[in-house]
Amino acid sequence: SLDELLAFRMLVMEETRAQLAQSDCFIFTLGLIETWVDCNGICYPSCPGVKVGEYDPEKYQLKVFNYQEIFSDLSELFQQIKAVNPDIRFVLTVSPVPLTATATDDHVLVANGYSKSVLRAVAGAFSQERDDVSYFPSFELITTPLPEDFRYLDNRRTVSEKGVGYVMRHWAKSLN
């Protein structure tokens, strides 16, 4: 019932507050910039109708958060957690998990690159502005090419001939 749901939410919020009050560190992973928003401003992690509910284009619209919005939301979260525990430290990460689809008009590789770039820029700027926030490079550890990656030479910086060929084959296919 609605009453049970609201009561459960209150319990979760109380438990979250209690955990934050006694924590030394809060690890937060930035993961998505695309969401669906309804006419009341409520955000959904996936488009209504994909897993649950029914899609109504009059009620739901795609929202792609920009740098300023994400930075502002992160700042607000930071302030709220610091109000509960002024001594808590933060570790920010960016999820290395790529998008599997996008609701934008961009190709998913372009949308993923944009999403990760925005999130990484926010995490970097936010952690550089504060002494109690660190950045952990989980994104970079996963997405940086391995020494055996055919796209790079052994220095892992110079793009190989095979890497150039790989890009050019994709370029040629996109022209068809």
Side-chain angles (χ1 to χ4, degrees):
S1 73
L2 181 57
D3 289 339
E4 291 172 322
L5 173 65
L6 294 175
F8 183 72
R9 283 187 180 173
M10 289 305 295
L11 286 173
V12 169
M13 291 177 74
E14 289 169 11
E15 178 63 24
T16 301
R17 178 180 282 277
Q19 289 296 322
L20 288 171
Q22 64 183 355
S23 295
D24 296 325
C25 183
F26 183 78
I27 301 170
F28 190 78
T29 300
L30 299 158
L32 298 172
I33 67 170
E34 290 184 22
T35 190
W36 290 86
V37 180
D38 71 13
C39 52
N40 297 314
I42 297 173
C43 294
Y44 299 85
S46 62
C47 181
V50 172
K51 293 183 180 181
V52 177
E54 191 173 313
Y55 178 69
D56 178 352
E58 298 295 318
K59 187 175 179 184
Y60 304 104
Q61 69 180 62
L62 173 67
K63 168 71 177 159
V64 179
F65 286 97
N66 63 36
Y67 176 95
Q68 291 83 6
E69 292 167 320
I70 296 167
F71 194 95
S72 176
D73 286 347
L74 190 57
S75 297
E76 178 65 27
L77 174 66
F78 180 87
Q79 289 173 357
Q80 289 182 12
I81 292 173
K82 282 293 196 174
V84 173
N85 182 347
D87 297 324
I88 197 167
R89 294 193 45 79
F90 289 76
V91 175
L92 294 177
T93 67
V94 172
S95 172
V97 178
L99 298 174
T100 57
T102 179
T104 68
D105 292 333
D106 291 329
H107 187 283
V108 70
L109 291 175
V110 174
N112 183 68
Y114 177 71
S115 175
K116 299 305 181 181
S117 297
V118 169
L119 296 173
R120 180 59 183 93
V122 168
F126 198 84
S127 63
Q128 288 177 358
E129 285 186 6
R130 294 168 171 83
D131 291 336
D132 53 358
V133 179
S134 300
Y135 176 77
F136 182 78
S138 59
F139 173 76
E140 291 81 359
L141 289 169
I142 295 297
T143 60
T144 298
L146 298 172
E148 299 84 26
D149 192 311
F150 73 91
R151 292 168 286 200
Y152 289 89
L153 297 182
D154 289 341
N155 67 9
R156 297 176 62 189
R157 188 171 175 265
T158 306
V159 178
S160 70
E161 285 186 40
K162 288 182 179 180
V164 171
Y166 178 73
V167 171
M168 295 311 293
R169 283 190 301 279
H170 283 276
W171 171 255
K173 286 180 185 177
S174 73
L175 297 175
N176 295 333

